[in-house]
Amino acid sequence: MTADYLLIAVHGWLLSRHVWAPFAAGWARQHPEIELWCPDLPGFGDAPRPSGLLPNLTSYGRWLAEASIHRAQGRPFVLMGHSLGGSVVLHAEAELRRQQRSNLCGVVQLAAGGGIYQPRPFRRLRSLGNLILQLRPDGLGRWPAPIGSLGPFKAEHRAARGLLVNSTCRGAVRELPGLVAELGVNNLWISGDKDQVMEPGYVRHLAAYSPNHDYREISSCGHLVMREQPDQLRRVLFEWMADQSRANPRS
C-alpha cells in the first residue's frame, strides 16, 4: 500500500479528534506511508458548526463527504466511524455514491451497530444524553482518567442535542439496515468483546445486511477500542486495508 492512500477517522457523540490520540500515535510510527486524518465534526472539539449545517445525520453525512473529497485530493481513501460517527460515515458513503465522484475504497464501522428500534432503551439514552449536556460537557475534560483523558468535551448544545435526538429516532434507526445493504464498497466491522455500550451482537446484526462485509472482534476491549487496544486495532485495520489494495490494485 503506497503513500497516496488516506484513512479518515470520525469520532462519536460528544467526543473530538483527541479520542484517536493513542491509535494515531501508533499509526504514524508504523504506517507513515498512509495519512491518517482525524477531523473534529462541526460543533464538537475545536470545530465550529456553520450556520447552514443542520444537526442531523443526513447533513453531517453531506459535510463529511465534501470534506473527504477535499482532503483526499484525488487519492483513494477509507472512511472509519466510531459509534455515532459510524452512522455519519454511512450517510457520507451514500452521498459519495450518489455523486459518483470520489475514490472511496472502503468503510470501517468501529463499535457501531444496531438497526433495531427499541423505544424504551432509546428514551433512556436520550434522557441520559440531555442530562450530560445540562452538566456542561466542556467541564468533563477536567475530570480524572479515563474521562478526562478523552480530550476536550466541547460541544455546541444544538449540534450535540440534535444529533442525539436524530440518531435515536425511529426513522433514523430503521434506515440503517438499508444504508448498509446499499454500501458500494467493501466494509469492515470491529467491536470490542466487552463493549457494553454497543454489544458485539448488535454490530454483527447490522453488518450482516451487507454482502461485502467482514467482521473482527478485539479481545479484552470495551467501547473505546482506539484507546483501550490501539495496537490491536491498528493491526486489524492495516491488514484489511492491505487486502483491499491487493484485491483492487490501482491502474
Side-chain angles (χ1 to χ4, degrees), residues 17 22 30 50 57 74 81 87 93 102 104 114 120 124 130 132 150-151 154 161 183 192 202 205 224 234:
R17 68 184 186 278
Q30 298 295 326
L57 292 173
S87 294
E93 191 278 339
S102 82
L104 178 66
R120 189 170 298 174
R124 288 199 297 265
N130 284 321
I132 292 174
L150 296 179
K154 300 177 184 176
R161 189 176 187 280
L183 281 169
Y202 288 109
H205 169 82
L224 295 173
R234 177 188 56 77

Side-chain angles (χ1 to χ4, degrees), residues 7-197:
L7 172 62
I8 301 173
V10 183
H11 64 79
W13 187 71
L14 212 59
L15 298 174
S16 72
R17 68 184 186 278
H18 295 282
V19 76
W20 298 101
F23 170 77
W27 188 271
R29 286 194 305 269
Q30 298 295 326
H31 310 297
E33 73 280 8
I34 304 174
E35 180 189 357
L36 171 65
W37 181 43
C38 306
D40 282 332
L41 289 173
F44 298 87
D46 297 319
R49 181 179 63 88
S51 58
L53 179 62
L54 298 177
N56 59 52
L57 292 173
T58 301
S59 295
Y60 270 69
R62 291 195 191 106
W63 174 87
L64 179 59
E66 292 298 322
S68 299
I69 291 173
H70 179 75
R71 183 77 178 200
Q73 292 293 304
R75 291 175 293 173
F77 62 95
V78 170
L79 283 175
M80 173 169 62
H82 171 251
S83 196
L84 176 70
S87 294
V88 176
V89 163
L90 290 177
H91 281 267
E93 191 278 339
E95 177 66 17
L96 292 167
R97 182 162 26 89
R98 184 187 68 81
Q99 295 182 13
Q100 296 183 337
R101 64 183 185 94
S102 82
N103 288 326
L104 178 66
C105 59
V107 160
V108 178
Q109 295 283 287
L110 180 60
I116 305 172
Y117 185 73
Q118 299 173 301
R120 189 170 298 174
F122 280 117
R123 281 199 298 270
R124 288 199 297 265
L125 179 60
R126 285 192 291 270
S127 297
L128 177 60
N130 284 321
L131 177 61
I132 292 174
L133 288 175
Q134 292 170 13
L135 295 174
R136 297 181 59 83
D138 53 330
L140 294 177
R142 297 190 290 272
W143 286 25
I147 293 179
S149 65
L150 296 179
F153 282 80
K154 300 177 184 176
E156 180 200 84
H157 189 276
R158 187 183 177 202
R161 189 176 187 280
L163 283 177
L164 172 67
V165 172
N166 178 251
S167 65
T168 57
C169 73
R170 186 188 304 268
V173 173
R174 290 185 172 177
E175 185 182 21
L176 289 176
L179 289 171
V180 173
E182 294 174 358
L183 281 169
V185 293
N186 290 341
N187 42 98
L188 173 65
W189 300 70
I190 303 173
S191 62
D193 64 341
K194 301 185 184 306
D195 192 341
Q196 297 182 358
V197 177

